[in-house]
Amino acid sequence: MCKTKIEMRNISIEFPGVKALSDVDFEMESGTIHALIGANGAGKSTLMKILSGAYNHYTGKILINGNEVHIDSPRTAKELGIDIVYQEVDTALIPYLDVGENIMLDVLATKMKHKQFVNWKEIYRKARNALNLLNLHIDVKMKVADLDLAQKQMVLIARAIVEEKRFLILDEPTAPLSHRETEELFRVVRDLANNNVGIIFISHRLPELFEICETITIMKDGKNVITQPIEGLSKRDVIEYMLGRNFIEQHQKPDSKIGKIALEVVSLYEKGGLIKDVSFHVRKGEVIGIAGLVGAGKTELCKTIFGALPIESGKILIGTNPVKIKTTYAAVKHGLALVPEERRKEGVLVEEPVYSNLSASNLHNFTSKLGFLRPKAEKEAARKMIQDLGIKTPSESQKVALLSGGNQQKVAVGKWLMSNAEIYVFDEPTKGVDVGAKGDIFDLISGLAENGKGIIYASSEMTEILSITDRIYVMYDGRIVKELLTHETNEQEILYYSTGGK
């Protein structure tokens, strides 16, 4: 089987105020699985966007089998057999098209460009075949807007494998996937590698990299730190190369004074049947975990509490006072804040600058008596929040879309800190975030608890739940099935109840 070698030599790229990459080298052969990792902002996604044609103003050389190529667009990359599955699925899918159309989008675009006849029967047949490879049973004529996050991710992966590729870049592909879906993805990735496709696998979940990858490249501050076989490294080695310093893996939540009940939920049912008879409470100064596997109902519970999904029955109390939360506006009025799982879609305004994102939930503080915005005050408050949270940005006027995933997440949190909410709901807040930024987020949450805020922390990452919480509610099939004290439990017990154990 003839191998294809790809080389990137002395790759550099700049954006206004930022040198994102500086003389980076990267190489790999088809038929191998290569890990690419680095802290948020290290440059790994930027490097892969150059390889996949999203950025064309780079300097340096890209060679395929020793022949120099200039990749100036995603179409050029695809013609060379290079494709990418992006982390932020909603920017890559077209919600009003169906599953089959989204999977076959590149084929359809080519046919329509050349005004060729579209055989829809064949289009849907190929789409179904791609889904079958992933053992995924979704109606190909279902609208993408009606899918959940994990299904959208699998549709993107199906699009990537529907046509033959030489190299496939997977950017945080398992972030929204369940354990079973991840296993299916790994099976497909290994099959692709066995069929001479080169896989570049970007993930912050280190156990996955050690399970599936042969070689690892670690980046830091826009440079290549090391490339070597992954077998010769430990997880701690990888983290220390990423951060450039020693790292203490286990975060310990500091003790905070736990006060009266901040929020109580009693026998809550969501209208669509996603949440069933859920009861729990969180006290001031307390962090409670909502643990469960992907699909357990954690996100739906967070959205129901925040007024984004309709309540069929049950009660929500702020302190001892029953409240009606039918809209997100009502939730904010009652002192709730939600940092959602899909940050680019629901948590931040990606095309707006950092300062207007940070002030978005608290605009009345930045308006004059006549109702006009005061940009100077907005920017001044934003600069302080940027400093307090350690947001890496050239200025408060930088567009949020140009920040790394971890820094976007800090912006999503920062806008609620400026609103001075009393109850914070975090839904998978560290998804796609590196270990350094994860530590910053944990410190931030601990600080909120010390200041008497009630914190709800929903995550499928059991180690995180154990690191940051005081108590844990375990969800399964839309219900809370067990309450546990964090200091008395472990991953095995949480997983037991998460999988339906009685």
Side-chain angles (χ1 to χ4, degrees):
M1 196 179 288
C2 187
K3 294 278 188 181
T4 302
K5 185 176 183 180
I6 198 161
E7 300 170 82
M8 303 180 79
R9 297 288 177 225
N10 301 117
I11 300 293
S12 298
I13 193 168
E14 293 187 26
F15 299 96
V18 181
K19 183 155 192 178
L21 295 175
S22 182
D23 294 321
V24 174
D25 291 342
F26 177 87
E27 66 177 60
M28 71 172 294
E29 284 189 339
S30 61
T32 62
I33 306 172
H34 193 119
L36 180 60
I37 191 168
N40 288 111
K44 57 192 184 301
S45 292
T46 302
L47 185 68
M48 290 301 103
K49 282 179 178 177
I50 290 170
L51 186 58
S52 60
Y55 297 146
N56 60 15
H57 62 288
Y58 63 91
T59 60
K61 292 182 179 180
I62 300 175
L63 302 100
I64 296 179
N65 288 338
N67 299 312
E68 186 174 352
V69 295
H70 185 68
I71 301 177
D72 57 1
S73 69
R75 178 175 294 280
T76 303
K78 289 175 193 290
E79 287 169 355
L80 292 166
I82 301 164
D83 206 351
I84 186 168
V85 177
Y86 285 111
Q87 176 187 348
E88 306 293 354
V89 295
D90 285 299
T91 61
L93 293 171
I94 301 175
Y96 54 82
L97 295 184
D98 63 36
V99 169
E101 289 168 322
N102 269 278
I103 290 172
M104 301 299 292
L105 195 63
D106 294 335
V107 176
L108 287 169
T110 302
K111 285 185 177 294
M112 288 174 179
K113 181 186 176 184
H114 295 104
K115 297 181 180 178
Q116 293 176 331
F117 173 74
V118 175
N119 183 339
W120 287 103
K121 189 175 179 181
E122 183 68 3
I123 288 289
Y124 286 117
R125 185 189 67 78
K126 286 186 174 181
R128 281 191 199 94
N129 287 345
L131 291 173
N132 288 340
L133 281 174
L134 295 166
N135 277 345
L136 195 62
H137 307 291
I138 300 176
D139 183 354
V140 289
K141 295 192 177 180
M142 186 177 180
K143 287 284 184 286
V144 159
D146 297 327
L147 302 181
D148 63 30
L149 185 59
Q151 290 172 323
K152 289 175 184 175
Q153 180 71 70
M154 296 301 259
V155 166
L156 264 186
I157 292 163
R159 180 197 290 173
I161 64 174
V162 77
E163 291 189 279
E164 287 187 12
K165 303 286 188 301
R166 289 199 281 186
F167 293 93
L168 180 59
I169 304 157
L170 300 175
D171 189 0
E172 295 286 349
T174 64
L177 303 185
S178 67
H179 180 68
R180 183 192 63 77
E181 289 163 336
T182 298
E183 285 184 338
E184 287 296 336
L185 174 62
F186 283 4
R187 178 185 59 77
V188 171
V189 165
R190 291 187 180 105
D191 285 349
L192 289 169
N194 289 336
N195 284 297
N196 205 31
V197 177
I199 307 291
I200 302 169
F201 200 95
I202 303 173
S203 177
H204 289 117
R205 294 177 170 181
L206 297 188
E208 293 180 354
L209 301 183
F210 280 84
E211 180 180 344
I212 199 168
C213 299
E214 302 152 52
T215 309
I216 188 167
T217 292
I218 303 171
M219 294 184 68
K220 182 179 183 295
D221 297 333
K223 296 181 180 179
N224 183 333
V225 177
I226 188 172
T227 296
Q228 72 167 65
I230 199 166
E231 196 176 352
L233 294 168
S234 69
K235 294 182 181 72
R236 181 175 287 275
D237 291 335
V238 171
I239 292 169
E240 290 181 0
Y241 277 121
M242 283 171 62
L243 299 180
R245 56 181 165 81
N246 291 336
F247 178 72
I248 299 169
E249 287 187 55
Q250 188 63 40
H251 178 275
Q252 290 294 327
K253 178 186 175 292
D255 290 333
S256 55
K257 187 179 178 183
I258 294 176
K260 295 179 180 179
I261 290 177
L263 176 136
E264 185 173 7
V265 171
V266 182
S267 297
L268 191 70
Y269 286 81
E270 183 268 335
K271 263 191 179 173
L274 301 168
I275 301 301
K276 308 155 195 167
D277 197 21
V278 165
S279 298
F280 71 92
H281 69 272
V282 57
R283 296 178 180 273
K284 294 181 178 183
E286 184 181 37
V287 182
I288 65 155
I290 306 292
L293 303 178
V294 172
K298 303 182 304 298
T299 291
E300 291 78 9
L301 177 58
C302 294
K303 288 184 173 182
T304 304
I305 295 165
F306 196 64
L309 291 177
I311 295 170
E312 182 171 283
S313 63
K315 289 194 294 185
I316 297 176
L317 297 91
I318 303 293
T320 57
N321 302 315
V323 295
K324 296 284 186 187
I325 299 180
K326 293 183 177 180
T327 63
T328 54
Y329 176 76
V332 174
K333 291 284 283 183
H334 286 297
L336 272 78
L338 171 65
V339 179
E341 179 182 20
E342 296 186 66
R343 58 176 170 257
R344 285 181 70 98
K345 184 181 176 185
E346 300 170 340
V348 291
L349 303 164
V350 291
E351 295 303 318
E352 297 299 319
V354 172
Y355 75 84
S356 58
N357 270 272
L358 290 172
S359 63
S361 65
N362 200 26
L363 278 176
H364 64 274
N365 277 358
F366 304 102
T367 52
S368 67
K369 289 179 181 178
L370 295 174
F372 294 106
L373 269 174
R374 296 183 292 127
K376 189 176 177 182
E378 264 189 296
K379 291 180 180 181
E380 190 176 322
R383 282 193 290 270
K384 184 177 185 308
M385 187 57 67
I386 287 165
Q387 186 175 0
D388 289 349
L389 294 182
I391 299 170
K392 290 182 181 176
T393 176
S395 79
E396 70 278 4
S397 298
Q398 177 78 310
K399 191 189 287 188
V400 168
L402 299 178
L403 301 184
S404 68
N407 286 301
Q408 287 182 13
Q409 191 72 310
K410 288 180 183 180
V411 171
V413 175
K415 76 174 185 184
W416 292 115
L417 295 184
M418 287 174 70
S419 75
N420 199 29
E422 291 300 319
I423 299 141
Y424 286 81
V425 183
F426 292 87
D427 184 13
E428 299 284 1
T430 64
K431 189 180 86 173
V433 166
D434 70 76
V435 286
K438 190 180 290 188
D440 292 341
I441 290 169
F442 283 178
D443 290 341
L444 179 71
I445 290 169
S446 298
L448 289 169
E450 286 183 68
N451 287 324
K453 310 297 184 183
I455 312 292
I456 299 167
Y457 189 98
S459 179
S460 54
E461 300 286 345
M462 308 307 177
T463 51
E464 290 185 13
I465 289 275
L466 288 165
S467 295
I468 194 70
T469 64
D470 298 291
R471 287 184 300 118
I472 301 166
Y473 293 96
V474 185
M475 287 195 76
Y476 175 75
D477 193 26
R479 300 176 185 271
I480 286 177
V481 293
K482 190 70 177 176
E483 179 185 351
L484 300 164
L485 291 174
T486 303
H487 69 275
E488 292 180 358
T489 190
N490 54 42
E491 281 189 63
Q492 289 75 20
E493 186 177 22
I494 298 171
L495 191 59
Y496 172 74
Y497 291 111
S498 296
T499 52
K502 303 290 184 185

